[in-house]
Amino acid sequence: MRKVSILGATGSIGQNAIDLIARDIKAYNVVALTGGANIRQLAEDAQRLGAQLAVTAFEDRLQDLRDALQGSGIEVAAGQNAIIEAAGRPVDWVLSAIVGAAGLAPGIEALKQGATLALANKETLVCAGALVLQTARENDARVLPVDSEHSAVFQALVGEDMDAVERVIITASGGAFRDWPLEDLASATVTQASSHPNWDMGQRITIDSASMFNKALEVIETREFFGVDPGQIEVLVHPESIVHAMVGFRDGALMAHLGPPDMRHAIGYALHWPERRDLPVERLDLAQLSQLRFSHPDLNRYPALKLARDVMARGGLSGAVFNAAKERALDHFIAGQIGFTTMAVVVSRVLDRFDAEDGLINAPLTLDNVQQTDHLARQWADEAVIKRAG
Ligand code: NAD
Ligand code: MG
């Protein structure tokens, strides 16, 4: 039986993973499930999967979780440290499906115990790619991509030599506002930004798809995970979301990965790797698809993509700055404090402010430094929002 844990089990990715595991529950020994405020879902899944431990991120919800699991024999805990402790329990496979930089420390803890870390949490690599991959090497652990584009690149690279790779192309649907007039973007509402044309995902990543902050994070994730130069990474807008990524080789070949927009493919690939097993995803009928369109993204519409290039050029801790400033800008947008297009302005201000402070982004890449940088970047993002409002 494979021992597995799921961090962020109550979210969109977590629920898709549980769907796969529940179909073949006898093959798994579920050790830990973690979640947030949705105690009912967490408790129900912990019982259904026979988990040993259930953890909520929120300390003030511990009693609710305890009540919900009364008499079940399932251990309960709460808080960020409890999530890190859960990630450190020995298992074969850990899925990191927490949203945001909160996923970093638990992911590192999972690698320290030698588990295979299936990484949906792209923020982990954006904030501390080199540190995470080094931790994996030191502990004979492995990181497998779950983000659909990165899973696609990973699959296109099976059996290939990285020296033969010329370019990596990841696709983007273009999000909710792909066809909107540019001048309307400033007044786009949270509800409008929260609906995705093709994928059904958590609210934060859906809004990040409309702004392409999600793609910006993924470009950085591509660089960190595959070690390719920034100049080798391209983004194409592909409204159908069928081709997830392509790898171009030195002989001119372009290997593409196609599939329906269903995260259970990428999760299942990481779950069964290096084997391929049956997965309950729709089979594509290419004859039915009338067309697959591709175009270059307009950087005026998606300034986040330009910021990602700046971040890769700066290096060091700038990925952590970028992500933290983006998370806070998104919080402020969701709370109605800033407009949709102001998010990129705020992130850009915070990056510039770090640039002006000698040495801050070039401090050594340790977990402590990443967390301190994350904290400061959030504070500066808040200050940038207040300045704009004032
Ligand atoms: P979601 O919001 O649906 O779920 C997030 C999960 O993390 C929930 O279980 C929530 O309780 C938990 N969580 C939230 N804040 C937390 C905190 N501070 N500490 C600990 N746990 C916390 O998000 P999602 O859409 O499932 O995305 C999860 C991650 O996967 C993100 O990094 C996202 O970018 C990435 N991802 C998602 C998709 C997708 O299809 N949803 C695709 C590719 C990558
Ligand atoms: Mg993706």
Side-chain angles (χ1 to χ4, degrees):
M1 273 216 289
R2 284 184 80 198
K3 283 186 159 188
V4 301
S5 289
I6 301 176
L7 314 176
T10 54
S12 165
I13 291 284
Q15 290 292 298
N16 275 310
I18 287 176
D19 174 74
L20 292 180
I21 285 172
R23 286 164 192 261
D24 190 17
I25 188 65
K26 288 202 179 66
Y28 299 97
N29 177 349
V30 178
V31 174
L33 296 183
T34 81
N38 192 346
I39 300 295
R40 189 194 50 75
Q41 187 73 55
L42 179 61
E44 192 183 301
D45 288 331
Q47 280 183 300
R48 185 158 66 105
L49 301 182
Q52 293 170 21
L53 166 68
V55 187
T56 164
F58 305 113
E59 283 173 31
D60 58 355
R61 301 303 303 275
L62 179 61
Q63 193 54 46
D64 295 336
L65 184 60
R66 203 173 268 143
D67 293 346
L69 287 172
Q70 183 101 47
S72 66
I74 298 170
E75 196 185 332
V76 295
Q80 293 300 332
N81 287 335
I83 291 182
I84 295 172
E85 194 272 329
R89 299 230 176 157
V91 290
D92 304 302
W93 190 84
V94 175
L95 174 65
S96 172
I98 289 171
V99 62
L104 175 62
I108 288 183
E109 199 65 19
L111 290 171
K112 282 191 186 157
Q113 52 110 339
T116 291
L117 181 65
L119 201 58
N121 180 272
K122 59 196 77 183
E123 296 88 346
T124 296
L125 288 177
V126 171
C127 296
L131 172 67
V132 169
L133 297 178
Q134 186 194 332
T135 307
R137 279 191 297 274
E138 284 171 3
N139 294 281
D140 225 1
R142 183 180 287 281
V143 183
L144 294 174
V146 171
D147 214 341
S148 56
E149 298 77 3
H150 306 76
S151 174
V153 172
F154 190 73
Q155 294 179 49
L157 285 170
V158 170
E160 302 288 354
D161 188 338
M162 281 310 287
D163 289 341
V165 173
E166 234 169 34
R167 57 187 177 141
V168 173
I169 303 168
I170 60 174
T171 63
S173 68
F177 306 139
R178 188 188 60 226
D179 303 319
W180 276 38
L182 269 187
E183 57 274 20
D184 291 354
L185 290 183
S187 56
T189 66
V190 174
T191 312
Q192 288 166 330
S194 301
S195 92
H196 196 283
N198 305 329
W199 295 90
D200 179 14
M201 310 185 284
Q203 186 192 31
R204 297 182 72 87
I205 183 176
T206 302
I207 299 175
D208 283 349
S209 297
S211 62
M212 279 218 202
F213 266 111
N214 179 52
K215 210 50 54 179
L217 295 175
E218 290 182 358
V219 167
I220 303 168
E221 184 187 11
T222 301
R223 166 162 174 70
E224 296 296 332
F225 193 89
F226 299 103
V228 286
D229 290 335
Q232 291 178 289
I233 307 169
E234 295 171 28
V235 174
L236 283 180
V237 177
H238 168 45
E240 292 80 14
S241 298
I242 296 293
V243 176
H244 304 304
M246 292 172 262
V247 179
F249 294 93
R250 63 196 297 174
D251 59 359
L254 198 53
M255 302 290 279
H257 179 286
L258 285 72
D262 183 338
M263 285 308 296
R264 290 177 305 176
H265 170 74
I267 297 166
Y269 186 78
L271 181 61
H272 301 307
W273 183 90
E275 287 175 29
R276 285 191 188 272
R277 300 230 185 123
D278 295 349
L279 289 175
V281 298
E282 181 200 327
R283 271 43 177 174
L284 284 182
D285 180 348
L286 288 177
Q288 276 278 321
L289 287 166
S290 57
Q291 57 177 351
L292 296 177
R293 293 164 293 168
F294 300 93
S295 62
H296 292 292
D298 170 2
L299 296 186
N300 292 320
R301 185 177 293 275
Y302 304 115
L305 290 180
K306 161 86 178 54
L307 293 175
R309 299 275 163 200
D310 297 345
V311 165
M312 291 189 292
R314 285 173 170 115
L317 288 158
S318 58
V321 173
F322 178 67
N323 179 67
K326 187 283 291 178
E327 287 193 35
R328 281 308 282 159
L330 179 58
D331 290 340
H332 287 294
F333 173 63
I334 292 173
Q337 283 149 350
I338 58 173
F340 182 75
T341 48
T342 306
M343 288 192 283
V345 177
V346 168
V347 174
S348 169
R349 293 269 156 81
V350 176
L351 282 167
D352 289 346
R353 192 165 165 192
F354 267 89
D355 262 354
E357 300 273 340
D358 240 14
L360 273 187
I361 63 167
N362 294 319
L365 192 65
T366 61
L367 185 56
D368 267 359
N369 283 344
V370 171
Q371 286 172 335
Q372 277 173 32
T373 304
D374 175 285
H375 189 76
L376 186 58
R378 281 169 204 264
Q379 198 178 312
W380 286 0
D382 290 350
E383 289 173 20
V385 168
I386 291 165
K387 236 189 207 153
R388 266 191 91 80

